[in-house]
Amino acid sequence: MKVLVPVKRVLDYNVKPRIKADGSGVDLANVKMSMNPFDEIAVEEAIRLKEKGAVTEIVAVSIGEAKSQETLRTALAMGCDRAILVTAESRVEPLAVAKILAKIVEEEAPGLVILGKQAIDDDNNQTGQMLAGLLGWAQGTFASKVEIADGTATVTREIDGGLETDALKLPAIVTTDLRLNEPRYASLPNIMKAKSKPMAQKTPADYGVDIAPRITTLKVVEPAKRAGGTKVADVDELVTKLAAMGISKS
Ligand code: AMP
């Protein structure tokens, strides 16, 4: 079975985002970019399924600016077999990403697509669900465990009240949650080997997908600054201060 893993290049999760002076978005000039953390978990899961013998080939896909090929090389160094880069210099919204992925699914016929549950740049949490809708496939979102056997993916999902386990008939869509696994680091020999793994270069037009935005971002602002805290000497002082603020036990 072939697995498709879409990976997005995003602002590194350790970098504090700076808002552009005109409020039009986050300033991405000269900042560290990395693979979306949930996508690293998706790549790791696909590799583990291959190591267990449930998967024969892993294809990583990224849609975005040409530099997304660095993200794809990371996926190849971790253990993906080949990559598809769909270059688009402007922002591509989840619906357009899902439409492009649906076309790639048509061409590649994978048995499973594993995506991150959300990209940490725009926090949309939409692409996997939209792709499942477009393909008419079953979806197991926020997966914390995935098992493949007899044409079925058994997916344990993190829900409010605890854990839910679903059986999905393959082909299916899975989106990863944080506790699914701990992604491996690529070793130096694997980084070197990844340089010669195949990477196809495409454009949205190759798939007949119009990526013109449907959403207008009106304004992006920084979160409100926190008011400074105060240290209190003991519980009595805390209770007195709370009482002065009108907060009491009853
Ligand atoms: P989102 O719906 O934007 O929060 O993204 C959810 C998941 O969809 C991500 O974790 C990726 O697996 C995938 N995805 C979203 N945008 C892209 C993109 N431009 N290229 C590749 N994969 C993407």
Side-chain angles (χ1 to χ4, degrees):
M1 180 175 77
K2 193 190 283 186
V3 176
L4 197 70
V5 186
V7 294
K8 188 175 186 191
R9 182 174 185 264
V10 297
L11 183 67
D12 186 90
Y13 72 98
N14 285 310
V15 175
K16 186 178 179 297
R18 278 189 324 256
I19 307 294
K20 284 188 203 161
D22 64 1
S24 61
V26 172
D27 192 353
L28 297 180
N30 303 318
V31 289
K32 185 172 181 228
M33 304 288 283
S34 302
M35 187 189 300
N36 181 44
F38 291 106
D39 304 354
E40 282 184 351
I41 296 173
V43 170
E44 176 66 35
E45 197 60 22
I47 297 167
R48 290 187 190 191
L49 289 171
K50 192 174 169 198
E51 287 168 347
K52 281 186 204 151
V55 163
T56 48
E57 189 185 24
I58 308 167
V59 183
V61 185
S62 195
I63 299 151
E65 55 180 344
K67 282 189 180 155
S68 302
Q69 64 175 280
E70 289 166 13
T71 313
L72 286 171
R73 287 284 168 218
T74 305
L76 294 172
M78 285 173 75
C80 293
D81 297 293
R82 61 187 170 90
I84 303 172
L85 171 66
V86 184
T87 43
E89 292 307 320
S90 59
R91 186 173 152 210
V92 188
E93 292 172 358
L95 180 59
V97 172
K99 285 179 181 170
I100 293 170
L101 293 176
K103 291 285 181 191
I104 296 175
V105 165
E106 240 174 63
E107 274 182 19
E108 296 280 346
L112 189 65
V113 184
I114 312 180
L115 306 92
K117 76 166 178 183
Q118 75 192 55
I120 61 162
D121 50 3
D122 295 326
D123 281 342
N124 285 311
N125 183 351
Q126 293 176 352
T127 309
Q129 294 88 329
M130 286 176 166
L131 181 61
L134 290 172
L135 296 170
W137 287 10
Q139 56 179 309
T141 52
F142 316 137
S144 59
K145 191 171 173 199
V146 178
E147 280 170 333
I148 307 286
D150 307 324
T152 302
T154 306
V155 176
T156 304
R157 309 181 53 233
E158 301 194 355
I159 57 169
D160 263 359
L163 296 175
E164 173 185 291
T165 304
D166 294 334
L168 317 181
K169 198 166 151 282
L170 296 175
I173 306 289
V174 167
T175 74
T176 61
D177 214 328
L178 214 53
R179 275 162 289 276
L180 181 58
N181 61 48
E182 266 193 40
R184 69 194 64 193
Y185 290 104
S187 65
L188 191 59
N190 286 346
I191 293 172
M192 300 311 287
K193 261 194 244 161
K195 291 185 194 226
S196 54
K197 288 188 180 177
M199 186 182 302
Q201 305 252 0
K202 300 279 186 180
T203 65
D206 292 334
Y207 299 107
V209 175
D210 166 20
I211 61 163
R214 269 69 167 170
I215 301 166
T216 311
T217 301
L218 299 180
K219 194 167 61 162
V220 177
V221 292
E222 292 217 9
K225 292 252 180 312
R226 284 224 200 158
T230 324
K231 268 198 177 168
V232 289
D234 51 31
V235 174
D236 287 345
E237 190 188 340
L238 175 66
V239 172
T240 313
K241 280 200 186 275
L242 289 175
M245 292 162 72
I247 303 168
S248 70
K249 248 173 93 182
S250 51

